[in-house]
């Protein structure tokens, strides 16, 4: 009993019966627990158990030593476990055991069934591992699985591989001459390419592919409309068009709820909250995230790791309000879920948020280590600017100056949203900190005028505060007070 059930990461009486062919599984588990035989209960009802890890390794070694027929026997045990899990609707475990049984064809069919839910519940790493355990020739029979795999590769930052896979999908676009199928597949391909462009920061291509996808969709309730809206929102926000970005993210949220497209809901809410912060509408951002979290947990309890985006957003809002304990709770929880999901973008954002929090908690070394992890996950000009800002806070002017020299920004530049708010404001801070005060003030004043003209009041508040501090340091107290007012 012990040896045959050692293939299971967790077990219950009925599952043990299915694997061993016995009928006394529950009684045996109760007997093993009473004997303290390295069996650990996983729930208060004593339904699910697992073996201690070292004990399980010992049992599996014994299973492998069961003679010439050991491999076949082990595969048969996995097949029985897979059948039980599939019957119970536990497709993830069924896939794991089917792959262990060496039945790649059956595994491919199961993965195809599970792919949608796995991706939209944030189990991206698991989905990728499953697909990559299959022979590539099998994947051709499962086009929807290929699409889910492409989206998963994007989410984990493997953009070149996602693009190559999308090229492969597109080559099959005209394979059978079905016009409706071609339009549907074309919409998917364009949506995938839009997201790849968004991750690469190519805003024109993001918008163009999003519009191309929409043009191929006839159904007004099609979930891909949510992806197209997200693409437009990402690009418009990067271009400084905050009102247009807010409208696009709001549309993504509406489509998401109408079509149960969790990514549209969660990313739409996160980035609409980001826009509200830029606009200085902190209360609106906080209410949006709270309402979305409550509704997702109520209506989609299986959302799983995908809510990491909302938790990190709520942590960022707590940080803005200087509620540091609450910020730490949400950011740490969000990062834990984001690791499970494997989402490179939200991981990077989470590490940036944690680094800023650690600096506020007077943990400068931890902050620098954390921002380094952000760069490893998904390097960006935003993350590099935050690193320079942290260097300034910690008195490392040489590191900040080195970033400024390599940033491509100049003291005489006119404001451009595409260069990034954080990047440009940090550059102004470096100018002032390194003694170029007059040039720095003029630079920040130009950024302030642009922020006020575009309704970016959150940025305006930051710039006014920074200018007030600079004026105060120069002995210009009345002007500083006027700025604060």
């Amino acid at each position: 009993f012990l040896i045959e059930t050692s293939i299971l990461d967790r077990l219950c009486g009925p599952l043990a019966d299915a694997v061993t062919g016995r009928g006394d599984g529950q009684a045996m588990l109760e007997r093993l627990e009473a004997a303290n035989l390295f069996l650990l209960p996983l729930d208060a009802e004593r339904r699910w158990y697992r073996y201690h890890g070292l004990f399980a390794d010992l049992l599996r070694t014994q299973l492998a030593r069961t003679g010439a027929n050991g491999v076949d026997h082990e595969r048969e045990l996995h097949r029985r476990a897979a059948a039980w899990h599939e019957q119970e609707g536990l497709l993830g475990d069924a896939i794991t055991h089917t792959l262990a049984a060496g039945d790649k064809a059956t595994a491919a069919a199961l993965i195809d069934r599970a792919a949608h839910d796995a991706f939209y519940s944030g189990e991206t790493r698991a989905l990728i591992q499953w697909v990559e355990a299959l022979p590539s020739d099998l994947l051709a029979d499962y086009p929807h699985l290929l699409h889910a795999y492409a989206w998963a590769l994007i989410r984990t930052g493997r953009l070149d591989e996602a693009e190559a896979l999308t090229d492969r999908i597109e080559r099959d676009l005209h394979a059978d001459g079905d016009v409706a199928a071609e339009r549907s597949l074309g919409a998917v391909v364009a949506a995938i390419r839009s997201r790849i462009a968004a991750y690469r920061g190519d805003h024109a291509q993001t918008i163009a592919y999003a519009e191309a996808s929409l043009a191929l969709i006839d159904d007004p309730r099609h979930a891909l409309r949510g992806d197209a809206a997200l693409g437009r929102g990402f690009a418009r926000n990067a271009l400084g068009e905050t009102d247009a970005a807010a409208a696009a993210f709001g549309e993504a949220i509406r489509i998401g709820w109408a079509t149960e497209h969790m990514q549209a809901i969660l990313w739409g809410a996160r980035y609409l909250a980001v826009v509200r912060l830029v606009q200085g509408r902190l209360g609106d951002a906080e209410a949006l995230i709270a309402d979305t979290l409550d509704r997702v947990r109520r209506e989609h309890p299986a959302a799983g790791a995908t809510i990491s985006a909302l938790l990190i957003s709520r942590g960022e809002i707590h940080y803005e309000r200087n509620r540091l304990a609450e910020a730490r709770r949400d950011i740490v929880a969000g990062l834990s879920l984001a690791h499970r999901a494997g989402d490179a973008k939200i991981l990077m954002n989470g590490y940036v948020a944690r680094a800023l929090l650690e600096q506020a908690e007077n943990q400068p070394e931890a902050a620098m280590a954390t921002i380094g992890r952000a760069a490893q996950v998904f390097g960006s000009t935003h993350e590099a600017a935050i690193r320079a800002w942290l260097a300034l806070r910690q008195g490392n002017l040489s590191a900040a100056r080195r970033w400024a020299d390599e940033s491509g920004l100049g003291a005489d530049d006119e404001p451009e949203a595409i260069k990034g708010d954080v990047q440009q404001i940090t550059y102004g801070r470096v100018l002032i900190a390194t003694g170029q005060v007059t040039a720095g003030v003029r630079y920040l004043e130009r950024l302030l005028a642009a922020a006020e003209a575009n309704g970016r009041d959150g940025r305006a508040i930051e710039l006014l505060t920074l200018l007030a501090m600079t004026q105060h340091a120069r002995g210009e107290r009345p002007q500083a007070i006027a700025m604060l007012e």
Side-chain angles (χ1 to χ4, degrees), residues 7 43 52 159 171 201 221 293 329 335 346:
I7 66 162
D43 52 36
H52 185 284
L159 303 182
R171 283 195 294 272
R221 291 174 55 84
L293 257 174
R329 177 199 65 206
L335 276 170
I346 196 59

Side-chain angles (χ1 to χ4, degrees), residues 190-447:
I192 292 172
R193 292 198 187 282
S194 177
R195 189 63 55 83
I196 292 172
Y199 268 60
R200 286 175 171 163
D202 187 337
H203 311 307
Q205 287 285 71
T206 299
I207 294 171
Y209 280 122
E211 298 297 340
S213 179
L214 281 175
L216 293 169
I217 300 171
D218 298 321
D219 182 358
R221 291 174 55 84
H222 198 296
L224 275 181
R225 290 184 175 275
D227 292 302
L230 284 177
R232 289 201 308 273
F234 295 148
R236 296 301 179 194
N237 189 47
L239 294 169
E241 301 170 15
T242 48
D243 289 339
F249 291 133
E251 181 185 0
I253 295 168
R254 288 191 296 275
I255 294 170
W257 284 119
T259 61
E260 297 191 347
H261 184 346
M262 292 304 300
Q263 298 305 302
I265 295 167
L266 298 169
W267 283 106
R270 168 169 173 75
Y271 280 99
L272 180 53
V274 168
V275 171
R276 295 307 185 214
L277 288 176
V278 169
Q279 293 175 323
R281 296 167 59 177
L282 190 55
D284 289 349
E286 189 164 22
L288 169 67
I289 295 298
D291 291 347
T292 307
L293 257 174
D294 286 345
R295 186 173 175 184
V296 168
R297 284 170 167 162
R298 187 173 63 251
E299 298 182 16
H300 296 277
T306 57
I307 66 167
S308 59
L310 298 181
L311 290 175
I312 288 170
S313 292
R314 191 168 69 179
E316 291 166 341
I317 293 166
H318 285 315
Y319 168 82
E320 286 291 330
R321 292 200 184 278
N322 206 41
R323 300 191 294 236
L324 301 187
E326 293 92 334
R328 171 164 287 279
R329 177 199 65 206
D330 283 337
I331 291 168
V332 169
L335 276 170
S336 177
L337 290 174
H339 272 290
R340 200 174 96 201
D343 193 313
K345 264 287 184 74
I346 196 59
L347 266 175
M348 184 269 286
N349 288 328
Y351 279 130
V352 167
R354 181 168 178 167
L356 293 173
L357 172 65
E358 288 166 339
Q359 180 65 39
E361 293 173 331
N362 197 27
Q363 301 182 64
E365 293 181 359
M368 276 301 182
T370 299
I371 202 67
R373 295 183 74 178
Q376 292 170 358
V377 169
F378 196 95
S380 69
T381 56
H382 175 80
E383 163 272 320
I386 295 292
R387 183 192 298 269
W389 182 81
L390 290 172
L392 275 183
R393 289 292 305 272
Q394 297 173 18
N396 190 347
L397 295 185
S398 61
R401 186 184 292 112
R402 187 163 55 251
W403 168 82
D405 291 342
E406 297 170 356
S407 68
L409 300 171
D412 296 325
D413 290 353
E414 290 299 319
E416 288 186 69
I418 199 169
K419 294 177 181 177
D421 284 347
V422 172
Q423 294 89 318
Q424 292 176 99
I425 294 173
T426 302
Y427 185 79
R429 288 179 182 272
V430 174
L431 289 176
I432 292 169
T434 55
Q436 303 175 68
V437 180
T438 300
V441 167
R442 289 174 179 167
Y443 183 84
L444 292 175
E445 287 175 340
R446 292 196 296 276
L447 294 179

